Amino acid sequence: MPLHVPPAPAPALRSVLTALGSPTAVREARTPSLKAAQFPLGPELPLPVHVLERTAPGSAPRTRLTGWRFLIKAGERAVAAAETMLTPDGWAFSHFFEGPYLASTERALRQAESLPTPHQPRLLSVPELYMLTLWLHGDITADASSQLFAPGDLLVPLAPAPPGIAAHRPHRVTDLLPQLTLRLTPGPLLRTSA
């Protein structure tokens, strides 16, 4: 089933195109693949980036839209990614980067395309666990900034995933979120004897 990629805000896309057209931005990026690219560079597959919010016990898990990530392609190959962020003045370019999440994102998107039901792809970050997942939202008509999970949503942890969580294995949001929440909950304070 094809993925229903939400359109990125026009200012976010413009900021990435401006950065790609800036020799200074590309030269100063810590992305050797971007600097060495032999083909024209172009942003593709805009994905909204959400952060998992800490919530009170018993309340519905929520997310917060923090940016948009674009895969930067040179020909058919992704050589880097560009991140935008929301500022008081609107969407602005943040930075270019490369690394393991780039190939892992492409792999997870290819896997998602073979699923029998359509989804809206997003990225979900869990900073406290150094974890990034491909969030396959079941409501393909939802606004990309919607913060709530739908019952049929899937989370595909990207590699490298935290210990004990298999990368590239789709998990129902109702199965994986409780595990993540448990890992995010501080343990009881240890008592020391005086």
Side-chain angles (χ1 to χ4, degrees):
M1 218 21 110
L3 294 174
H4 294 267
V5 178
L13 177 58
R14 273 194 308 272
S15 71
V16 171
L17 289 170
T18 299
L20 281 172
S22 165
T24 304
V26 172
R27 187 175 54 251
E28 291 180 1
R30 294 187 176 138
T31 53
S33 296
L34 185 66
K35 291 185 242 183
Q38 299 296 314
F39 296 97
L41 300 170
E44 295 184 16
L45 284 167
L47 297 172
V49 180
H50 290 254
V51 172
L52 183 63
E53 294 276 293
R54 286 191 175 232
T55 57
S59 62
R62 300 179 71 85
T63 68
R64 177 175 42 90
L65 178 66
T66 59
W68 282 81
R69 183 170 295 172
F70 297 79
L71 295 182
I72 305 301
K73 296 235 179 163
E76 293 297 314
R77 192 173 75 86
V79 295
E83 189 101 8
T84 64
M85 62 183 186
L86 190 57
T87 69
D89 295 326
W91 291 103
F93 172 76
S94 175
H95 62 282
F96 292 115
F97 66 94
E98 59 185 58
Y101 285 132
L102 186 62
S104 189
T105 300
E106 284 189 302
R107 177 179 170 187
L109 287 166
R110 281 192 305 274
Q111 287 177 299
E113 287 176 342
S114 68
L115 294 173
T117 56
H119 290 92
Q120 182 189 89
R122 303 170 174 194
L123 293 172
L124 177 67
S125 174
V126 187
E128 296 91 340
L129 299 178
Y130 301 100
M131 181 178 188
L132 187 64
T133 71
L134 178 64
W135 172 11
L136 298 172
H137 192 51
D139 182 357
I140 59 173
T141 63
D143 184 271
S145 65
S146 63
Q147 303 172 338
L148 297 175
F149 295 97
D153 286 2
L154 298 173
L155 296 175
V156 182
L158 301 181
I165 296 176
H168 295 287
R169 183 173 161 253
H171 299 267
R172 290 204 171 281
V173 73
T174 52
D175 296 334
L176 187 57
L177 275 184
Q179 290 181 42
L180 300 181
T181 303
L182 185 61
R183 289 181 182 213
L184 294 172
T185 305
L189 295 176
L190 296 175
R191 289 191 163 182
T192 57
S193 53

